[in-house]
Amino acid sequence: MARYARRWVSAGLAAVLASSPGIAEVRAAPAKGNDQLNAKISGLAQEAQTRFETADFAGAIELWTQAYAAMPDEPAYDKRRNVLAYQIAQACVEAYELDPQLVYLRKAERLFDNYLKTISAKDKVTTAKVQGTLDELREKIRVAEEREAAEKQAAAEAAERASPEGDEPAAQEADPADTEDRRAAAEREAKKSRGLTIAGGTLTGAGAIVLGVMAYGLSQGARADRDGEAAKADGVTDPAVYRDLLDQGMAANRLAIATAVAGGILVVTGIGLLGAGAAGQQRARRELGLAPTWLRGGAGIVLQGRF
């Protein structure tokens, strides 16, 4: 019953304030020079009240806020502005009941706190009622914040339990002997992979040198061809000269062919060994890096390796 009664307190407060002589004078003064503005504010306020009474609290907040913003920053509008602030705060409290977002409660707390400061010190009854509403609101905020923090903590713990890296029960159930075997196998794999990498680098380098010899042979063959063409152009007729150049060219070609084959084999083999060594080291590093280790005080997962 108390919650349903609060839904009508906004309209009741506005009616009480509007019926007081002070408010009548305040509302009459600005109307002389700005009837159109007052009509706009009243229209927004009335539509907001309708929204509030039909449980469209978000719509009521928006319309009352528009009415509040439309009021000039003049003392004549202070009391009407305070009434609107109270109505917006009450709508925020009701909006939280339908859509529990803490922002509604925090906004209501700020507005009620500001409204409390505008009440006359002589009005003990109104001060006590608003202070009671504010205390109740702050208790709701405290409970909501604790619930929100508990939900976040529970979600974080659930995510940690679901994460493979944080699966402590699996680490505790692992067999220490099996863990040690895995670590030893990973270290052997790492050692073997380093050997493959070194061999691959050596063969690749040797292949590159042999291919360099091939390039030298090709250049010598080309040089013999050029010398033969030059001798023919100069009119040399001695067969011995051409036989010598031919022998040089054939020797250079044989050298180029032999070194091309050998160099290609060395380079291809070396690159294959480099790839195999890199893949093996990566596997070994992964095994060693995530190997479960039993420490004093409990099981866990540590990062370790020898590279």
Side-chain angles (χ1 to χ4, degrees):
M1 292 296 294
R3 189 167 71 85
Y4 289 107
R6 286 201 304 271
R7 292 189 177 180
W8 305 98
V9 72
S10 180
L13 178 63
V16 170
L17 291 176
S19 63
S20 66
I23 293 299
E25 294 174 2
V26 168
R27 299 181 70 173
K32 296 179 180 178
N34 207 343
D35 293 338
Q36 186 176 3
L37 175 60
N38 285 311
K40 175 183 177 181
I41 294 171
S42 297
L44 289 170
Q46 290 173 4
E47 176 63 20
Q49 185 63 42
T50 301
R51 298 285 185 92
F52 184 89
E53 292 171 359
T54 56
D56 181 8
F57 303 115
I61 292 170
E62 180 180 358
L63 290 171
W64 271 326
T65 301
Q66 291 179 20
Y68 188 98
M71 289 185 182
D73 188 13
E74 299 174 2
Y77 287 88
D78 284 349
K79 290 186 178 180
R80 295 177 69 186
R81 188 179 291 106
N82 291 339
V83 170
L84 283 178
Y86 185 95
Q87 291 171 316
I88 294 169
Q90 191 61 52
C92 286
V93 174
E94 296 297 338
Y96 178 78
E97 299 295 332
L98 297 181
D99 183 14
Q101 299 185 47
L102 263 175
V103 64
Y104 284 130
L105 295 184
R106 291 189 177 112
K107 184 175 182 179
E109 179 193 22
R110 177 69 62 83
L111 291 171
F112 276 130
D113 190 50
N114 291 339
Y115 180 76
L116 184 64
K117 297 173 183 177
T118 66
I119 301 173
S120 172
K122 298 178 181 180
D123 191 351
K124 304 294 185 180
V125 175
T126 303
T127 299
K129 288 182 178 180
V130 175
Q131 184 62 59
T133 301
L134 190 56
D135 292 342
E136 181 182 349
L137 181 61
R138 285 170 176 163
E139 177 61 18
K140 280 187 176 182
I141 292 174
R142 184 190 66 78
V143 173
E145 287 177 341
E146 289 181 353
R147 183 173 61 250
E148 187 177 89
E151 290 173 354
K152 289 182 178 179
Q153 179 65 23
E157 291 175 355
E160 184 177 354
R161 287 193 299 269
S163 174
E165 292 79 2
D167 195 356
E168 292 185 1
Q172 293 175 352
E173 294 173 4
D175 185 359
D178 181 63
T179 299
E180 186 61 32
D181 290 343
R182 287 174 54 193
R183 186 180 300 108
E187 290 177 349
R188 288 194 299 271
E189 178 72 15
K191 184 177 180 180
K192 177 182 176 182
S193 299
R194 286 195 295 271
L196 291 176
T197 301
I198 294 171
T202 302
L203 291 179
T204 302
I209 294 173
V210 173
L211 291 176
V213 176
M214 176 200 70
Y216 172 77
L218 291 175
S219 67
Q220 289 298 105
R223 179 179 177 183
D225 290 339
R226 289 194 301 271
D227 289 345
E229 293 295 331
K232 187 184 296 184
D234 292 339
V236 176
T237 59
D238 186 358
V241 173
Y242 292 102
R243 281 196 305 271
D244 185 49
L245 291 174
L246 179 61
D247 292 340
Q248 292 179 17
M250 291 181 66
N253 289 336
R254 285 194 297 270
L255 177 63
I257 293 171
T259 52
V261 174
I265 293 173
L266 289 172
V267 169
V268 171
T269 304
I271 292 175
L273 291 176
L274 285 173
Q281 288 195 58
Q282 185 176 5
R283 287 193 302 270
R285 186 177 297 111
R286 185 167 55 249
E287 288 293 328
L288 287 174
L290 296 177
T293 299
W294 269 253
L295 303 175
R296 181 176 299 175
I301 294 178
V302 300
L303 296 177
Q304 62 178 357
R306 301 174 189 172
F307 296 100

mmCIF file of all heavy atoms in Angstrom, residues 45-86:
data_model
loop_
_atom_site.group_PDB
_atom_site.id
_atom_site.type_symbol
_atom_site.label_atom_id
_atom_site.label_comp_id
_atom_site.label_asym_id
_atom_site.label_seq_id
_atom_site.Cartn_x
_atom_site.Cartn_y
_atom_site.Cartn_z
ATOM 1 N N ALA A 45 3.964 19.819 -17.645
ATOM 2 C CA ALA A 45 3.785 19.258 -16.307
ATOM 3 C C ALA A 45 2.544 18.379 -16.241
ATOM 4 O O ALA A 45 2.551 17.312 -15.611
ATOM 5 C CB ALA A 45 3.707 20.378 -15.278
ATOM 6 N N GLN A 46 1.477 18.821 -16.884
ATOM 7 C CA GLN A 46 0.252 18.022 -16.865
ATOM 8 C C GLN A 46 0.431 16.705 -17.626
ATOM 9 O O GLN A 46 -0.028 15.644 -17.184
ATOM 10 C CB GLN A 46 -0.902 18.841 -17.468
ATOM 11 C CG GLN A 46 -1.347 19.997 -16.586
ATOM 12 C CD GLN A 46 -2.362 20.899 -17.265
ATOM 13 O OE1 GLN A 46 -2.802 20.623 -18.381
ATOM 14 N NE2 GLN A 46 -2.728 21.986 -16.599
ATOM 15 N N GLU A 47 1.087 16.759 -18.784
ATOM 16 C CA GLU A 47 1.334 15.544 -19.546
ATOM 17 C C GLU A 47 2.245 14.598 -18.753
ATOM 18 O O GLU A 47 2.044 13.374 -18.754
ATOM 19 C CB GLU A 47 1.982 15.889 -20.884
ATOM 20 C CG GLU A 47 2.376 14.681 -21.728
ATOM 21 C CD GLU A 47 1.187 13.833 -22.152
ATOM 22 O OE1 GLU A 47 0.047 14.348 -22.141
ATOM 23 O OE2 GLU A 47 1.400 12.645 -22.468
ATOM 24 N N ALA A 48 3.239 15.156 -18.043
ATOM 25 C CA ALA A 48 4.124 14.333 -17.213
ATOM 26 C C ALA A 48 3.339 13.662 -16.094
ATOM 27 O O ALA A 48 3.568 12.486 -15.773
ATOM 28 C CB ALA A 48 5.245 15.182 -16.633
ATOM 29 N N GLN A 49 2.392 14.401 -15.498
ATOM 30 C CA GLN A 49 1.582 13.820 -14.434
ATOM 31 C C GLN A 49 0.750 12.648 -14.950
ATOM 32 O O GLN A 49 0.609 11.620 -14.282
ATOM 33 C CB GLN A 49 0.659 14.901 -13.840
ATOM 34 C CG GLN A 49 -0.143 14.425 -12.643
ATOM 35 C CD GLN A 49 0.751 14.046 -11.469
ATOM 36 O OE1 GLN A 49 1.713 14.743 -11.162
ATOM 37 N NE2 GLN A 49 0.441 12.926 -10.823
ATOM 38 N N THR A 50 0.224 12.808 -16.168
ATOM 39 C CA THR A 50 -0.534 11.711 -16.777
ATOM 40 C C THR A 50 0.355 10.492 -16.982
ATOM 41 O O THR A 50 -0.044 9.352 -16.716
ATOM 42 C CB THR A 50 -1.131 12.156 -18.119
ATOM 43 O OG1 THR A 50 -1.994 13.280 -17.897
ATOM 44 C CG2 THR A 50 -1.921 11.023 -18.765
ATOM 45 N N ARG A 51 1.565 10.729 -17.467
ATOM 46 C CA ARG A 51 2.511 9.625 -17.664
ATOM 47 C C ARG A 51 2.817 8.944 -16.320
ATOM 48 O O ARG A 51 2.889 7.717 -16.238
ATOM 49 C CB ARG A 51 3.817 10.141 -18.283
ATOM 50 C CG ARG A 51 3.668 10.758 -19.653
ATOM 51 C CD ARG A 51 3.469 9.701 -20.732
ATOM 52 N NE ARG A 51 3.454 10.290 -22.060
ATOM 53 C CZ ARG A 51 4.521 10.432 -22.829
ATOM 54 N NH1 ARG A 51 5.703 10.014 -22.396
ATOM 55 N NH2 ARG A 51 4.414 10.976 -24.033
ATOM 56 N N PHE A 52 3.006 9.751 -15.296
ATOM 57 C CA PHE A 52 3.324 9.207 -13.973
ATOM 58 C C PHE A 52 2.190 8.321 -13.463
ATOM 59 O O PHE A 52 2.418 7.223 -12.944
ATOM 60 C CB PHE A 52 3.579 10.357 -12.994
ATOM 61 C CG PHE A 52 4.009 9.920 -11.625
ATOM 62 C CD1 PHE A 52 5.341 9.741 -11.316
ATOM 63 C CD2 PHE A 52 3.058 9.691 -10.626
ATOM 64 C CE1 PHE A 52 5.737 9.339 -10.048
ATOM 65 C CE2 PHE A 52 3.448 9.285 -9.358
ATOM 66 C CZ PHE A 52 4.789 9.106 -9.071
ATOM 67 N N GLU A 53 0.947 8.794 -13.615
ATOM 68 C CA GLU A 53 -0.204 8.061 -13.101
ATOM 69 C C GLU A 53 -0.459 6.776 -13.880
ATOM 70 O O GLU A 53 -1.122 5.868 -13.367
ATOM 71 C CB GLU A 53 -1.440 8.960 -13.142
ATOM 72 C CG GLU A 53 -1.362 10.126 -12.152
ATOM 73 C CD GLU A 53 -2.478 11.138 -12.349
ATOM 74 O OE1 GLU A 53 -3.300 10.924 -13.267
ATOM 75 O OE2 GLU A 53 -2.538 12.119 -11.589
ATOM 76 N N THR A 54 0.042 6.712 -15.110
ATOM 77 C CA THR A 54 -0.123 5.499 -15.921
ATOM 78 C C THR A 54 1.144 4.637 -15.923
ATOM 79 O O THR A 54 1.332 3.793 -16.810
ATOM 80 C CB THR A 54 -0.503 5.868 -17.364
ATOM 81 O OG1 THR A 54 0.489 6.761 -17.909
ATOM 82 C CG2 THR A 54 -1.868 6.535 -17.411
ATOM 83 N N ALA A 55 2.029 4.876 -14.961
ATOM 84 C CA ALA A 55 3.233 4.072 -14.752
ATOM 85 C C ALA A 55 4.268 4.219 -15.864
ATOM 86 O O ALA A 55 5.169 3.385 -15.985
ATOM 87 C CB ALA A 55 2.885 2.596 -14.559
ATOM 88 N N ASP A 56 4.171 5.273 -16.661
ATOM 89 C CA ASP A 56 5.220 5.564 -17.640
ATOM 90 C C ASP A 56 6.193 6.536 -16.970
ATOM 91 O O ASP A 56 6.235 7.729 -17.279
ATOM 92 C CB ASP A 56 4.613 6.177 -18.906
ATOM 93 C CG ASP A 56 5.676 6.466 -19.966
ATOM 94 O OD1 ASP A 56 6.841 6.048 -19.768
ATOM 95 O OD2 ASP A 56 5.342 7.128 -20.982
ATOM 96 N N PHE A 57 6.982 6.000 -16.043
ATOM 97 C CA PHE A 57 7.811 6.861 -15.216
ATOM 98 C C PHE A 57 8.966 7.488 -16.000
ATOM 99 O O PHE A 57 9.349 8.633 -15.747
ATOM 100 C CB PHE A 57 8.333 6.063 -14.021
ATOM 101 C CG PHE A 57 7.234 5.460 -13.200
ATOM 102 C CD1 PHE A 57 7.090 4.079 -13.111
ATOM 103 C CD2 PHE A 57 6.321 6.258 -12.540
ATOM 104 C CE1 PHE A 57 6.070 3.515 -12.362
ATOM 105 C CE2 PHE A 57 5.293 5.701 -11.787
ATOM 106 C CZ PHE A 57 5.161 4.325 -11.711
ATOM 107 N N ALA A 58 9.534 6.755 -16.946
ATOM 108 C CA ALA A 58 10.605 7.324 -17.762
ATOM 109 C C ALA A 58 10.079 8.503 -18.570
ATOM 110 O O ALA A 58 10.742 9.547 -18.704
ATOM 111 C CB ALA A 58 11.185 6.254 -18.685
ATOM 112 N N GLY A 59 8.857 8.365 -19.126
ATOM 113 C CA GLY A 59 8.261 9.475 -19.863
ATOM 114 C C GLY A 59 7.963 10.656 -18.969
ATOM 115 O O GLY A 59 8.137 11.827 -19.365
ATOM 116 N N ALA A 60 7.498 10.390 -17.736
ATOM 117 C CA ALA A 60 7.229 11.476 -16.791
ATOM 118 C C ALA A 60 8.510 12.221 -16.447
ATOM 119 O O ALA A 60 8.537 13.468 -16.382
ATOM 120 C CB ALA A 60 6.585 10.903 -15.526
ATOM 121 N N ILE A 61 9.590 11.478 -16.221
ATOM 122 C CA ILE A 61 10.872 12.121 -15.914
ATOM 123 C C ILE A 61 11.296 13.041 -17.047
ATOM 124 O O ILE A 61 11.738 14.182 -16.829
ATOM 125 C CB ILE A 61 11.950 11.038 -15.654
ATOM 126 C CG1 ILE A 61 11.649 10.280 -14.367
ATOM 127 C CG2 ILE A 61 13.337 11.664 -15.579
ATOM 128 C CD1 ILE A 61 12.512 9.044 -14.168
ATOM 129 N N GLU A 62 11.160 12.562 -18.280
ATOM 130 C CA GLU A 62 11.583 13.357 -19.438
ATOM 131 C C GLU A 62 10.767 14.643 -19.551
ATOM 132 O O GLU A 62 11.323 15.729 -19.749
ATOM 133 C CB GLU A 62 11.436 12.515 -20.699
ATOM 134 C CG GLU A 62 11.863 13.253 -21.966
ATOM 135 C CD GLU A 62 11.714 12.409 -23.214
ATOM 136 O OE1 GLU A 62 11.314 11.230 -23.082
ATOM 137 O OE2 GLU A 62 11.982 12.931 -24.304
ATOM 138 N N LEU A 63 9.425 14.547 -19.414
ATOM 139 C CA LEU A 63 8.568 15.729 -19.580
ATOM 140 C C LEU A 63 8.744 16.714 -18.431
ATOM 141 O O LEU A 63 8.798 17.929 -18.637
ATOM 142 C CB LEU A 63 7.107 15.297 -19.701
ATOM 143 C CG LEU A 63 6.761 14.569 -21.003
ATOM 144 C CD1 LEU A 63 5.370 13.985 -20.929
ATOM 145 C CD2 LEU A 63 6.879 15.516 -22.190
ATOM 146 N N TRP A 64 8.828 16.216 -17.188
ATOM 147 C CA TRP A 64 9.055 17.130 -16.061
ATOM 148 C C TRP A 64 10.419 17.810 -16.176
ATOM 149 O O TRP A 64 10.571 18.975 -15.809
ATOM 150 C CB TRP A 64 8.961 16.355 -14.750
ATOM 151 C CG TRP A 64 7.553 16.315 -14.208
ATOM 152 C CD1 TRP A 64 6.598 17.277 -14.309
ATOM 153 C CD2 TRP A 64 6.960 15.234 -13.484
ATOM 154 N NE1 TRP A 64 5.437 16.875 -13.708
ATOM 155 C CE2 TRP A 64 5.626 15.627 -13.171
ATOM 156 C CE3 TRP A 64 7.399 13.993 -13.058
ATOM 157 C CZ2 TRP A 64 4.752 14.816 -12.464
ATOM 158 C CZ3 TRP A 64 6.536 13.184 -12.348
ATOM 159 C CH2 TRP A 64 5.225 13.583 -12.060
ATOM 160 N N THR A 65 11.400 17.077 -16.685
ATOM 161 C CA THR A 65 12.723 17.680 -16.892
ATOM 162 C C THR A 65 12.659 18.779 -17.943
ATOM 163 O O THR A 65 13.306 19.832 -17.801
ATOM 164 C CB THR A 65 13.737 16.605 -17.315
ATOM 165 O OG1 THR A 65 13.806 15.593 -16.298
ATOM 166 C CG2 THR A 65 15.117 17.207 -17.493
ATOM 167 N N GLN A 66 11.872 18.568 -19.004
ATOM 168 C CA GLN A 66 11.686 19.613 -20.018
ATOM 169 C C GLN A 66 11.007 20.846 -19.415
ATOM 170 O O GLN A 66 11.396 21.986 -19.705
ATOM 171 C CB GLN A 66 10.857 19.072 -21.184
ATOM 172 C CG GLN A 66 11.558 18.025 -22.026
ATOM 173 C CD GLN A 66 10.687 17.514 -23.147
ATOM 174 O OE1 GLN A 66 9.713 18.155 -23.543
ATOM 175 N NE2 GLN A 66 11.025 16.335 -23.675
ATOM 176 N N ALA A 67 10.005 20.626 -18.574
ATOM 177 C CA ALA A 67 9.335 21.747 -17.925
ATOM 178 C C ALA A 67 10.295 22.495 -17.008
ATOM 179 O O ALA A 67 10.304 23.736 -16.960
ATOM 180 C CB ALA A 67 8.134 21.236 -17.126
ATOM 181 N N TYR A 68 11.111 21.748 -16.292
ATOM 182 C CA TYR A 68 12.111 22.358 -15.401
ATOM 183 C C TYR A 68 13.088 23.215 -16.199
ATOM 184 O O TYR A 68 13.413 24.343 -15.819
ATOM 185 C CB TYR A 68 12.853 21.250 -14.656
ATOM 186 C CG TYR A 68 13.788 21.728 -13.572
ATOM 187 C CD1 TYR A 68 13.398 21.734 -12.241
ATOM 188 C CD2 TYR A 68 15.073 22.178 -13.883
ATOM 189 C CE1 TYR A 68 14.262 22.164 -11.241
ATOM 190 C CE2 TYR A 68 15.932 22.612 -12.895
ATOM 191 C CZ TYR A 68 15.528 22.604 -11.574
ATOM 192 O OH TYR A 68 16.379 23.045 -10.602
ATOM 193 N N ALA A 69 13.551 22.683 -17.330
ATOM 194 C CA ALA A 69 14.523 23.414 -18.144
ATOM 195 C C ALA A 69 13.917 24.649 -18.785
ATOM 196 O O ALA A 69 14.637 25.615 -19.081
ATOM 197 C CB ALA A 69 15.079 22.484 -19.225
ATOM 198 N N ALA A 70 12.592 24.640 -19.007
ATOM 199 C CA ALA A 70 11.947 25.783 -19.665
ATOM 200 C C ALA A 70 11.766 26.966 -18.723
ATOM 201 O O ALA A 70 11.554 28.091 -19.175
ATOM 202 C CB ALA A 70 10.586 25.359 -20.227
ATOM 203 N N MET A 71 11.870 26.750 -17.437
ATOM 204 C CA MET A 71 11.663 27.845 -16.479
ATOM 205 C C MET A 71 12.841 28.804 -16.471
ATOM 206 O O MET A 71 13.996 28.366 -16.402
ATOM 207 C CB MET A 71 11.466 27.277 -15.065
ATOM 208 C CG MET A 71 10.144 26.575 -14.858
ATOM 209 S SD MET A 71 9.943 26.085 -13.135
ATOM 210 C CE MET A 71 8.356 25.252 -13.228
ATOM 211 N N PRO A 72 12.593 30.094 -16.523
ATOM 212 C CA PRO A 72 13.684 31.072 -16.441
ATOM 213 C C PRO A 72 14.357 30.998 -15.074
ATOM 214 O O PRO A 72 13.744 30.594 -14.086
ATOM 215 C CB PRO A 72 12.975 32.421 -16.630
ATOM 216 C CG PRO A 72 11.653 32.081 -17.255
ATOM 217 C CD PRO A 72 11.279 30.731 -16.732
ATOM 218 N N ASP A 73 15.612 31.363 -15.038
ATOM 219 C CA ASP A 73 16.370 31.357 -13.786
ATOM 220 C C ASP A 73 16.062 32.643 -13.022
ATOM 221 O O ASP A 73 16.888 33.549 -12.912
ATOM 222 C CB ASP A 73 17.869 31.235 -14.079
ATOM 223 C CG ASP A 73 18.675 31.037 -12.795
ATOM 224 O OD1 ASP A 73 18.050 30.759 -11.747
ATOM 225 O OD2 ASP A 73 19.910 31.182 -12.842
ATOM 226 N N GLU A 74 14.834 32.698 -12.495
ATOM 227 C CA GLU A 74 14.359 33.877 -11.770
ATOM 228 C C GLU A 74 13.759 33.445 -10.443
ATOM 229 O O GLU A 74 13.167 32.352 -10.344
ATOM 230 C CB GLU A 74 13.300 34.612 -12.599
ATOM 231 C CG GLU A 74 13.818 35.123 -13.940
ATOM 232 C CD GLU A 74 12.716 35.721 -14.796
ATOM 233 O OE1 GLU A 74 11.559 35.769 -14.307
ATOM 234 O OE2 GLU A 74 12.995 36.128 -15.933
ATOM 235 N N PRO A 75 13.876 34.245 -9.402
ATOM 236 C CA PRO A 75 13.346 33.880 -8.080
ATOM 237 C C PRO A 75 11.856 33.566 -8.110
ATOM 238 O O PRO A 75 11.373 32.757 -7.309
ATOM 239 C CB PRO A 75 13.642 35.112 -7.220
ATOM 240 C CG PRO A 75 14.806 35.767 -7.901
ATOM 241 C CD PRO A 75 14.615 35.528 -9.368
ATOM 242 N N ALA A 76 11.090 34.219 -9.025
ATOM 243 C CA ALA A 76 9.653 33.997 -9.074
ATOM 244 C C ALA A 76 9.303 32.547 -9.395
ATOM 245 O O ALA A 76 8.194 32.085 -9.104
ATOM 246 C CB ALA A 76 9.021 34.919 -10.124
ATOM 247 N N TYR A 77 10.210 31.815 -9.993
ATOM 248 C CA TYR A 77 9.950 30.440 -10.392
ATOM 249 C C TYR A 77 10.564 29.425 -9.418
ATOM 250 O O TYR A 77 10.484 28.221 -9.657
ATOM 251 C CB TYR A 77 10.522 30.171 -11.788
ATOM 252 C CG TYR A 77 9.733 30.814 -12.908
ATOM 253 C CD1 TYR A 77 10.021 32.106 -13.319
ATOM 254 C CD2 TYR A 77 8.702 30.132 -13.535
ATOM 255 C CE1 TYR A 77 9.311 32.706 -14.342
ATOM 256 C CE2 TYR A 77 7.989 30.715 -14.560
ATOM 257 C CZ TYR A 77 8.290 32.013 -14.963
ATOM 258 O OH TYR A 77 7.581 32.583 -15.980
ATOM 259 N N ASP A 78 11.187 29.870 -8.339
ATOM 260 C CA ASP A 78 11.916 28.961 -7.456
ATOM 261 C C ASP A 78 11.024 27.870 -6.879
ATOM 262 O O ASP A 78 11.389 26.684 -6.870
ATOM 263 C CB ASP A 78 12.582 29.751 -6.319
ATOM 264 C CG ASP A 78 13.828 30.494 -6.808
ATOM 265 O OD1 ASP A 78 14.267 30.210 -7.949
ATOM 266 O OD2 ASP A 78 14.355 31.330 -6.056
ATOM 267 N N LYS A 79 9.852 28.247 -6.370
ATOM 268 C CA LYS A 79 8.993 27.256 -5.721
ATOM 269 C C LYS A 79 8.459 26.248 -6.729
ATOM 270 O O LYS A 79 8.388 25.050 -6.437
ATOM 271 C CB LYS A 79 7.850 27.951 -4.989
ATOM 272 C CG LYS A 79 8.322 28.717 -3.757
ATOM 273 C CD LYS A 79 7.161 29.270 -2.958
ATOM 274 C CE LYS A 79 7.657 29.992 -1.714
ATOM 275 N NZ LYS A 79 6.548 30.541 -0.895
ATOM 276 N N ARG A 80 8.093 26.717 -7.894
ATOM 277 C CA ARG A 80 7.615 25.783 -8.921
ATOM 278 C C ARG A 80 8.747 24.845 -9.358
ATOM 279 O O ARG A 80 8.527 23.661 -9.626
ATOM 280 C CB ARG A 80 7.084 26.563 -10.127
ATOM 281 C CG ARG A 80 5.857 27.392 -9.813
ATOM 282 C CD ARG A 80 5.409 28.201 -10.991
ATOM 283 N NE ARG A 80 4.877 27.364 -12.065
ATOM 284 C CZ ARG A 80 4.519 27.834 -13.261
ATOM 285 N NH1 ARG A 80 4.639 29.132 -13.518
ATOM 286 N NH2 ARG A 80 4.031 27.030 -14.169
ATOM 287 N N ARG A 81 9.961 25.403 -9.413
ATOM 288 C CA ARG A 81 11.115 24.569 -9.789
ATOM 289 C C ARG A 81 11.367 23.498 -8.720
ATOM 290 O O ARG A 81 11.682 22.344 -9.047
ATOM 291 C CB ARG A 81 12.347 25.458 -9.958
ATOM 292 C CG ARG A 81 13.556 24.724 -10.540
ATOM 293 C CD ARG A 81 14.734 25.643 -10.720
ATOM 294 N NE ARG A 81 14.508 26.616 -11.781
ATOM 295 C CZ ARG A 81 14.245 27.904 -11.593
ATOM 296 N NH1 ARG A 81 14.218 28.400 -10.358
ATOM 297 N NH2 ARG A 81 14.032 28.709 -12.604
ATOM 298 N N ASN A 82 11.210 23.840 -7.456
ATOM 299 C CA ASN A 82 11.404 22.866 -6.376
ATOM 300 C C ASN A 82 10.363 21.749 -6.445
ATOM 301 O O ASN A 82 10.668 20.576 -6.201
ATOM 302 C CB ASN A 82 11.328 23.568 -5.021
ATOM 303 C CG ASN A 82 12.506 24.490 -4.789
ATOM 304 O OD1 ASN A 82 13.555 24.332 -5.421
ATOM 305 N ND2 ASN A 82 12.350 25.459 -3.905
ATOM 306 N N VAL A 83 9.112 22.122 -6.778
ATOM 307 C CA VAL A 83 8.063 21.110 -6.909
ATOM 308 C C VAL A 83 8.407 20.136 -8.026
ATOM 309 O O VAL A 83 8.274 18.916 -7.886
ATOM 310 C CB VAL A 83 6.699 21.771 -7.179
ATOM 311 C CG1 VAL A 83 5.662 20.716 -7.563
ATOM 312 C CG2 VAL A 83 6.231 22.539 -5.946
ATOM 313 N N LEU A 84 8.871 20.656 -9.154
ATOM 314 C CA LEU A 84 9.233 19.788 -10.273
ATOM 315 C C LEU A 84 10.394 18.869 -9.902
ATOM 316 O O LEU A 84 10.420 17.690 -10.288
ATOM 317 C CB LEU A 84 9.601 20.629 -11.496
ATOM 318 C CG LEU A 84 8.428 21.245 -12.272
ATOM 319 C CD1 LEU A 84 8.949 22.082 -13.422
ATOM 320 C CD2 LEU A 84 7.505 20.153 -12.797
ATOM 321 N N ALA A 85 11.374 19.394 -9.166
ATOM 322 C CA ALA A 85 12.509 18.562 -8.747
ATOM 323 C C ALA A 85 12.030 17.406 -7.878
ATOM 324 O O ALA A 85 12.487 16.263 -8.016
ATOM 325 C CB ALA A 85 13.535 19.405 -7.997
ATOM 326 N N TYR A 86 11.068 17.702 -6.986
ATOM 327 C CA TYR A 86 10.510 16.650 -6.139
ATOM 328 C C TYR A 86 9.786 15.609 -6.988
ATOM 329 O O TYR A 86 9.923 14.391 -6.769
ATOM 330 C CB TYR A 86 9.560 17.259 -5.118
ATOM 331 C CG TYR A 86 9.029 16.268 -4.111
ATOM 332 C CD1 TYR A 86 9.647 16.105 -2.880
ATOM 333 C CD2 TYR A 86 7.911 15.489 -4.403
ATOM 334 C CE1 TYR A 86 9.165 15.183 -1.956
ATOM 335 C CE2 TYR A 86 7.428 14.559 -3.487
ATOM 336 C CZ TYR A 86 8.058 14.417 -2.266
ATOM 337 O OH TYR A 86 7.586 13.493 -1.363
#
